[in-house]
Amino acid sequence: EAMFWLLLTGEVPTEAQTKALSQELARRADQQVIGAAKKVLDSTPASTHPMTQFSMGILALQTDSKFHKAYSEGKANKKNYWELALDDSLNCIARTPSVAAMIYNRLTKGSTDIVAPSENEDWAANFA
């Protein structure tokens, strides 16, 4: 997460900033929304290429899109597009490791079952 912070801000984060980012991403890893991706992956033939599965899994995360909801309700405008897009982007970033882990497990173990991310662990630990 420290490297991600550096890429986003151009500054090396403090230990507290890194921990806060890790906790924020873990909080955003909504298991109900990730469950939608799991359903899609489970219904896909096992012979489907992993990158195709990944694309399908990420697209399935759209069910919780803040941008889509605001746009559908007529509440999205040029002044708040960036906030909605940022929120959706952070949610996607937080949920992507779970989608990747499901695909990896499916290829190596035949199952998309994964352990829910922990707020006490970083991305790598949650992915493993």
Side-chain angles (χ1 to χ4, degrees):
E1 285 85 345
M3 182 60 70
F4 182 60
W5 182 288
L6 176 64
L7 290 171
L8 288 178
T9 66
E11 298 177 7
V12 177
T14 64
E15 189 172 326
Q17 289 170 321
T18 302
K19 185 170 178 70
L21 178 59
S22 294
Q23 289 172 339
E24 176 66 16
L25 292 174
R27 183 189 65 77
R28 289 175 175 270
D30 184 308
Q31 293 307 296
Q32 184 175 357
V33 177
I34 292 169
K38 184 179 186 328
K39 286 180 186 177
V40 168
L41 294 173
D42 285 340
S43 68
T44 304
S47 61
T48 304
H49 191 279
M51 286 307 295
T52 303
Q53 292 183 54
F54 186 70
S55 296
M56 293 170 70
I58 296 301
L59 291 171
L61 299 176
Q62 184 271 343
T63 58
D64 187 49
S65 171
K66 306 292 189 264
F67 186 93
H68 174 70
K69 182 178 182 199
Y71 187 83
S72 297
E73 296 172 352
K75 296 179 182 177
N77 58 58
K78 289 183 179 182
K79 292 182 181 179
N80 68 358
Y81 280 167
W82 75 270
E83 292 169 328
L84 298 167
L86 175 63
D87 202 33
D88 279 355
S89 296
L90 288 171
N91 285 341
C92 188
I93 289 166
R95 297 165 185 169
T96 297
S98 293
V99 173
M102 284 188 280
I103 295 165
Y104 177 80
N105 283 351
R106 186 173 196 216
L107 292 171
T108 60
K109 300 175 185 173
S111 171
T112 56
D113 293 338
I114 59 169
V115 176
S118 167
E119 287 189 25
N120 299 321
E121 302 291 345
D122 63 13
W123 267 343
N126 279 322
F127 180 75

